[in-house]
Amino acid sequence: DLELKNSLHLAYDRIKSYHEKQLPKSWLDFEENGTILGQKVTPVDSAGLYIPGGKAAYPSSLLMNAIPAIVAGVKRIVVATPTPNNKPNKLLLSACH
């Protein structure tokens, strides 16, 4: 459904924009006495997400968990969701795409 697809894209863009503003930064500060202060921010390699998909499917749960991981630079994101009668929810699959 085109309207649903456009809604997913709009939600993606808005969530991504929000989380990009929250990105922590690495920084270093050198004091005169030789002390070095700072922090190095690096993403985890992988993230596993559980997304409800049984009686009720929540693509918003996927978007609000996966997008911050993408923005943070997580390279591998694995999604687990129930598949009633071995049939994955098409809306969740669309959101995953």
Side-chain angles (χ1 to χ4, degrees):
D1 177 88
L2 186 58
E3 186 176 346
L4 201 48
K5 179 181 176 182
N6 290 339
S7 295
L8 286 173
H9 281 280
L10 176 62
Y12 180 94
D13 291 342
R14 293 185 69 193
I15 295 166
K16 183 174 181 270
S17 173
Y18 176 82
H19 285 286
E20 285 173 339
K21 293 176 176 107
Q22 293 184 311
L23 274 173
K25 304 279 189 250
S26 297
W27 59 273
L28 286 174
D29 188 26
F30 301 91
E31 295 187 347
E32 288 183 22
N33 67 4
T35 302
I36 302 172
L37 303 170
Q39 72 176 11
K40 182 175 188 301
V41 178
T42 56
V44 296
D45 293 330
S46 300
L49 310 177
Y50 170 80
I51 307 301
K55 290 182 181 181
Y58 296 105
S60 58
S61 293
L62 174 76
L63 296 176
M64 290 188 283
N65 283 281
I67 295 169
I70 292 167
V71 169
V74 176
K75 299 293 183 212
R76 181 173 178 254
I77 300 171
V78 177
V79 175
T81 189
T83 55
N85 301 316
N86 289 325
K87 294 181 182 175
N89 183 286
K90 290 180 182 181
L91 183 55
L92 286 181
L93 286 177
S94 296
C96 283
H97 178 71

